[in-house]
Amino acid sequence: MAYRSLVLGAFASTSLAASVVTPRDPVPPGFVAAPYYPAPHGGWIASWEEAYSKAEALVSQMTLAEKTNITSGIGIFMGNTGSAERLGFPRMCLQDSALGVSSADNVTAFPAGITTGATFDKKLIYARGVAIGEEHRGKGTNVYLGPSVGPLGRKPLGGRNWEGFGSDPVLQAKAAALTIKGVQEQGIIATIKHLIGNEQEMYRMYNPFQPGYSANIDDRTLHELYLWPFAEAVHVGVGSAMTAYNAVNGSACSQHSYLINGLLKDELGFQGFVMSDWLSHISGVDSALAGLDMNMPGDTNIPLFGFSNWHYELSRSVLNGSVPLDRLNDMVTRIVATWYKFGQDKDHPRPNFSSNTRDRDGLLYPAALFSPKGQVNWFVNVQADHYLIAREVAQDAITLLKNNGSFLPLATSQSLHVFGTAAQVNPDGPNACMNRACNKGTLGMGWGSGVADYPYLDDPITAIRKRVPDVKFFNTDGFPWFHPTPSPDDVAIVFITSDAGENSFTVEGNNGDRNSAKLAAWHNGDELVRKTAEKYSSVIVVAQTVGPLDLESWIDNPRVKGVLFQHLPGQEAGESLANILFGDVSPSGHLPYSITKRANDFPDSIANLRGFAFGQVQDTFSEGLYIDYRWLNKQKTKPRFAFGHGLSYTNFSFDATIESVTRLSLVPPARAPKGSTPVYSTEIPPASEAYWPSGFNRIWRYLYSWLNKNDADKAYAVGIAGVKKYNYPAGYSTVQKPGPAAGGGEGGNPALWDVAFRVPVTVKNTGTEFSGRASVQAYIQYPEGIPYDTPIVQLRDFEKTQVLAPGETETVTIELTRRDLSVWDTELQNWVVPGFDGKRYTVWIGDASDRLFTACYTDTGICEGGKVPPV
Ligand code: BGC
């Protein structure tokens, strides 16, 4: 069902003159896309055993054409994957988006990932995941195309950061894992995406004239930052993974054997299936050998010509022996096993909506143009009471950055003047722009594939009016020319926005990334704030934004009393805000990224997008581990507002102790060998298994996996002659490997997940007036004198209290695992605990990355000044 105007996307990256095509331009020295073959078989992990043995039984009955059919979509706009109906294996419906069900009616438009991350609230993140899963199930989806953790949020200008949870691997990892758990408990397969390094939109895609850009990432940075959330997703059993559009270290992600075979499937022990991002499939044999299991939406990267690199081509490649049947069997088994694993063989609803039309009846094969019609929409309402969760997320994400003189909350008796078009829903309707590719009215989400249709948009002005009926609203982004002098008691609330999205659309000159006015608010929002503050002595700024903003031109103005970030609130933008503005609820959101004073507080590699180059654009992650607060701390640069910052109307005290749980060794104990995996015949199947059925009525542009008899026979003859004509890549092998020491379970060596320390933190609301929720963030500082350069502090876990009344306390527990205390040793190719021999880590606890105190170790009854003892 998933579709969009991807044709645009395919070309949008080539706005400049086409260059000479060089499939693999030189990447800077030291960045290596090493070969890793063969693709590891799935099925060796105990928790997947049952699903794999069911899959084995089904797959062993499939013909060649049935097998190749289920590894691909049937074509853009056609919807879904191919099926093996004869055996009861259906076409699978794969549907966006990271924030709900996209392109569908009667769904909830949840707050975006970035908003969800800003709650720093595990229970809410999970509840949102459950609700998203329920909605996908109700609509008949098989595979939910989320959550997104790549981009990780390295570049503040990056277009799709808002789909994920914030610029930190641990925040991304924990939020993704909870989302996956919530979704998959509803019998929906979640997809962790995009593997990996998709940190900007510009030049992300391969096209016939130019390769997508190469994200050049070193081994340690890859493990400790960008792969970290993927490992956690695999650890909780995510069913599918999507490769990114770009290349990594010179090799396209959709056919990157080291990434897919090596890291994802062998080291992380991923048991599900790997799909390509839409129209990023650029080879047939190479991508199969590199470990890709599903090609979406089935077409070559120029769609709509009825061509595919797989389907009939994959049938041919197996018959002529270039793709070993063993590889195809593993691809298919992974897909079928995942379907069984989530119980989709038992009364899983069939899709009851169309992404192509809101009408009841529509084309059954939209890309075919001349297609039979039939009922395509059943208008199933799946919203239930999910608005409550959506509202709670939107509300508890609201981040109070500044509150001079405790000016907020407001009283409903105050005289309020509201400025900014973002206070009110787009007058053309909240869904007026396709894929939300415009910034008009309240900004509840960015644009692109990561959106949903609003069932309604509860806008701020409506919610404010409910409390203050005579509020004055100036529905303008320019300060009115003739504005009567306000009285000193009048309070101005100014709404500003900043939007971004996917490269398939350009909005107000921004082609995905925020590339026009750096981090300024759109529509001259900063000027609106400044002008308003010239007139009004009390100004509150409310920002709806995809990410950090440059606040410098007004943030120190004493007349700007309060600043609230709503992030991207989704459909519940009104009440959630009013609850905070008027003090029904204390703000408890925290920044999921840092806000710097100057863009160049970050190095060039982070601050800027990589632009045009002849050949492949090189985006070298030269800052390594040092993104966001890691970089700023290293440089001793004070941000305007640090990662994790967020004020409340009340105050909290924290009291933490450390309990040691598991003693650690230098490296994790040796992994167990892999369990057994399904066994099939490896004989090339008879050519007849790929013949077109006689008298078959073909649909134009529909992608099929059958071949003409002659072609099939010819391929088979080559195959059984054993003449391997294919030019296999360097390092190619068909001998299964035992797997690396760092592997052994889902997410890596199971011991990585052992809890080494527990840190109970007792939080007290020390205020007298307001109830509130506290965010407890735990950061690790590695011991001094270790042979690894490590960022000064790194987030490792977080918890949030319930609502605490004044004087009330609650104890939350932080957990630190072996993985949290390890670094990736590039020589050992393993996780190492550098302090295992008696060196001391420091555990920093607080409610922002720049408001931390050390926890005390009390196992001996002595508080040792906040140092963790030898492990
Ligand atoms: C996006 C993916 C999305 C897919 C399907 C692509 O353009 O990058 O995130 O899931 O489209 O719509």
Side-chain angles (χ1 to χ4, degrees):
M1 286 277 161
Y3 86 104
R4 275 170 318 96
S5 49
L6 283 151
V7 187
L8 277 179
F11 295 105
S13 334
T14 13
S15 47
L16 295 167
S19 63
V20 181
V21 186
T22 45
R24 194 166 160 172
D25 271 28
V27 298
F31 297 93
V32 186
Y36 196 104
Y37 297 100
H41 289 162
W44 52 270
I45 294 232
S47 58
W48 284 74
E49 211 175 278
E50 192 187 330
Y52 267 86
S53 67
K54 287 183 187 166
E56 183 177 3
L58 194 84
V59 174
S60 57
Q61 300 170 56
M62 286 185 181
T63 63
L64 173 61
E66 280 168 337
K67 289 178 185 173
T68 50
N69 202 35
I70 72 169
T71 62
S72 281
I74 54 175
I76 194 160
F77 306 129
M78 294 296 196
N80 309 336
T81 61
S83 61
E85 296 288 351
R86 180 180 68 92
L87 298 168
F89 190 82
R91 284 166 51 178
M92 293 222 275
C93 170
L94 283 61
Q95 188 71 9
D96 287 312
S97 74
L99 59 68
V101 186
S102 73
S103 314
D105 54 82
N106 292 307
V107 298
T108 305
F110 290 92
I114 201 74
T115 320
T116 311
T119 66
F120 278 81
D121 182 342
K122 291 179 181 168
K123 289 196 191 78
L124 261 185
I125 296 170
Y126 169 69
R128 174 180 173 272
V130 169
I132 289 177
E134 284 173 357
E135 297 207 358
H136 273 272
R137 189 179 178 98
K139 286 290 184 188
T141 305
N142 296 86
V143 182
Y144 158 64
L145 299 175
S148 170
V149 295
L152 185 82
R154 164 180 176 243
K155 296 186 182 186
L157 295 174
R160 297 183 74 182
N161 298 348
W162 59 273
E163 292 184 47
F165 304 99
S167 302
D168 178 275
V170 171
L171 179 56
Q172 292 274 13
K174 295 204 186 286
L178 290 160
T179 305
I180 290 162
K181 196 166 170 291
V183 166
Q184 294 197 153
E185 282 169 2
Q186 316 315 312
I188 297 294
I189 300 163
T191 309
I192 193 75
K193 67 185 189 182
H194 310 82
L195 186 80
I196 203 166
N198 188 358
E199 299 292 327
Q200 70 170 47
E201 286 298 282
M202 202 167 41
Y203 299 108
R204 66 177 184 165
M205 274 182 101
Y206 279 69
N207 62 51
F209 308 105
Q210 193 183 24
Y213 68 78
S214 175
N216 303 319
I217 316 177
D218 67 81
D219 185 24
R220 186 165 164 217
T221 303
L222 193 60
H223 277 85
E224 293 188 25
L225 292 193
Y226 298 94
L227 194 66
W228 186 283
F230 287 90
E232 201 128 335
V234 176
H235 185 63
V236 297
V238 71
S240 69
M242 187 191 290
T243 54
Y245 280 125
N246 52 282
V248 166
N249 299 343
S251 181
C253 289
S254 64
Q255 50 183 34
H256 198 303
S257 64
Y258 177 70
L259 272 185
I260 308 176
N261 290 339
L263 290 180
L264 185 66
K265 290 187 173 171
D266 234 4
E267 188 179 314
L268 300 187
F270 175 65
Q271 301 295 300
F273 61 93
V274 181
M275 70 177 84
S276 63
D277 199 348
W278 266 235
L279 304 177
S280 69
H281 196 218
I282 53 172
S283 71
V285 179
D286 284 350
S287 58
L289 303 182
L292 194 76
D293 304 307
M294 184 183 275
N295 155 32
M296 289 306 297
D299 309 68
T300 51
N301 69 344
I302 301 293
L304 288 171
F305 286 97
F307 297 139
S308 178
N309 291 311
W310 280 3
H311 276 297
Y312 54 93
E313 289 294 1
L314 188 53
S315 300
R316 191 198 316 271
S317 304
V318 171
L319 287 175
N320 73 18
S322 9
V323 172
L325 180 62
D326 178 65
R327 175 73 267 266
L328 177 64
N329 284 337
D330 175 63
M331 291 157 70
V332 177
T333 309
R334 283 174 175 272
I335 294 167
V336 177
T338 310
W339 178 73
Y340 276 122
K341 171 91 173 147
F342 296 99
Q344 296 191 353
D345 55 320
K346 301 187 203 88
D347 55 65
H348 192 80
R350 300 297 305 138
N352 51 42
F353 70 107
S354 162
S355 296
N356 297 312
T357 173
R358 285 289 172 283
D359 297 341
R360 179 185 173 279
D361 294 338
L363 301 179
L364 297 181
Y365 309 104
L369 294 184
F370 308 103
S371 152
K373 273 191 144 190
Q375 181 165 1
V376 291
N377 277 308
W378 283 261
F379 310 108
V380 178
N381 191 323
V382 293
Q383 295 166 80
D385 59 359
H386 297 156
Y387 73 96
L388 292 172
I389 292 162
R391 186 183 297 168
E392 209 176 328
V393 173
Q395 171 192 287
D396 285 6
I398 292 174
T399 309
L400 178 61
L401 298 180
K402 170 178 178 183
N403 194 14
N404 270 18
S406 299
F407 188 81
L408 287 170
L410 303 170
T412 48
S413 55
Q414 272 168 293
S415 152
L416 300 183
H417 296 185
V418 171
F419 295 85
T421 56
Q424 190 173 52
V425 65
N426 180 350
D428 308 327
N431 300 316
C433 303
M434 188 179 175
N435 290 85
R436 306 301 81 78
C438 65
N439 180 7
K440 206 170 168 194
T442 304
L443 184 69
M445 51 187 83
W447 74 78
S449 60
V451 302
D453 283 4
Y454 293 101
Y456 58 83
L457 205 171
D458 173 35
D459 60 11
I461 194 63
T462 308
I464 293 171
R465 268 199 193 112
K466 279 191 198 147
R467 288 170 164 83
V468 184
D470 57 355
V471 56
K472 290 201 177 56
F473 178 36
F474 301 90
N475 193 2
T476 167
D477 291 324
F479 193 78
W481 274 36
F482 303 106
H483 193 69
T485 307
S487 90
D489 291 340
D490 289 340
V491 177
I493 308 178
V494 182
F495 285 83
I496 61 175
T497 64
S498 181
D499 203 355
E502 200 174 347
N503 186 225
S504 355
F505 300 88
T506 296
V507 178
E508 299 184 33
N510 297 260
N511 65 0
D513 306 303
R514 291 191 285 173
N515 57 0
S516 56
K518 297 286 177 186
L519 297 176
W522 286 35
H523 309 152
N524 289 325
D526 299 306
E527 188 175 298
L528 181 62
V529 175
R530 288 192 302 266
K531 290 237 160 101
T532 311
E534 279 169 21
K535 291 265 182 185
Y536 287 78
S537 51
S538 301
V539 177
I540 305 297
V541 179
V542 177
Q544 295 152 2
T545 176
V546 289
L549 291 172
D550 178 349
L551 311 174
E552 292 309 303
S553 70
W554 47 263
I555 190 71
D556 277 332
N557 186 331
R559 295 159 79 100
V560 175
K561 297 278 175 9
V563 180
L564 290 163
F565 267 34
Q566 278 195 282
H567 308 283
L568 297 172
Q571 69 180 43
E572 300 297 330
E575 278 302 303
S576 58
L577 178 67
N579 287 343
I580 300 285
L581 278 177
F582 297 101
D584 304 310
V585 174
S586 286
S588 66
H590 288 256
L591 277 181
Y593 43 73
S594 300
I595 297 180
T596 56
K597 294 185 179 160
R598 290 164 296 268
N600 65 7
D601 282 345
F602 285 128
D604 172 69
S605 60
I606 294 180
N608 295 316
L609 306 166
R610 295 295 108 184
F612 181 74
F614 286 100
Q616 187 169 49
V617 171
Q618 301 296 324
D619 185 5
T620 299
F621 290 33
S622 50
E623 75 289 342
L625 301 173
Y626 295 96
I627 62 165
D628 203 272
Y629 62 91
R630 292 165 168 81
W631 172 267
L632 299 171
N633 288 343
K634 185 178 164 76
Q635 300 303 312
K636 300 196 173 26
T637 304
K638 259 189 93 54
R640 174 54 67 178
F641 296 113
F643 176 90
H645 171 77
L647 304 173
S648 170
Y649 295 152
T650 187
N651 291 308
F652 301 98
S653 69
F654 294 78
D655 192 2
T657 55
I658 299 172
E659 297 163 2
S660 135
V661 182
T662 310
R663 288 189 87 78
L664 302 178
S665 46
L666 177 68
V667 288
R671 61 171 287 173
K674 289 179 179 175
S676 62
T677 56
V679 181
Y680 305 97
S681 157
T682 52
E683 296 282 294
I684 293 181
S688 58
E689 288 195 13
Y691 295 168
W692 279 97
S694 59
F696 189 83
N697 180 20
R698 303 181 197 184
I699 293 155
W700 188 41
R701 300 197 216 179
Y702 194 110
L703 300 171
Y704 298 100
S705 56
W706 292 298
L707 289 164
N708 294 327
K709 183 173 181 311
N710 274 353
D711 289 345
D713 290 346
K714 219 166 93 192
Y716 180 76
V718 173
I720 52 153
V723 199
K724 289 222 166 43
K725 285 195 186 145
Y726 195 74
N727 185 13
Y728 287 102
Y732 179 66
S733 144
T734 53
V735 183
Q736 288 285 311
K737 290 188 163 79
E746 279 182 292
N749 188 315
L752 289 171
W753 308 88
D754 289 347
V755 174
F757 295 100
R758 219 163 258 136
V759 187
V761 183
T762 301
V763 182
K764 181 172 184 190
N765 180 345
T766 54
T768 52
E769 205 182 337
F770 293 97
S771 298
R773 305 185 66 197
S775 160
V776 179
Q777 302 165 22
Y779 296 78
I780 272 287
Q781 183 175 2
Y782 283 79
E784 279 169 23
I786 58 171
Y788 303 92
D789 182 29
T790 52
I792 297 176
V793 292
Q794 303 189 68
L795 182 73
R796 285 303 193 231
D797 196 10
F798 55 89
E799 287 293 337
K800 199 163 184 179
T801 67
Q802 294 307 304
V803 178
L804 299 178
E808 207 177 337
T809 62
E810 183 183 332
T811 301
V812 297
T813 303
I814 293 293
E815 288 190 336
L816 300 169
T817 62
R818 169 188 279 275
R819 183 172 175 249
D820 295 326
L821 302 171
S822 298
V823 297
W824 177 253
D825 188 294
T826 53
E827 263 167 43
L828 290 178
Q829 285 294 294
N830 209 341
W831 293 98
V832 163
V833 179
F836 89 104
D837 54 352
K839 298 202 177 62
R840 287 166 187 241
Y841 288 76
T842 307
V843 181
W844 294 91
I845 302 288
D847 59 3
S849 64
D850 63 347
R851 249 169 52 124
L852 299 169
F853 67 94
T854 53
C856 295
Y857 181 71
T858 54
D859 263 15
T860 54
I862 309 159
C863 176
E864 296 191 32
K867 298 290 180 182
V868 179
V871 283

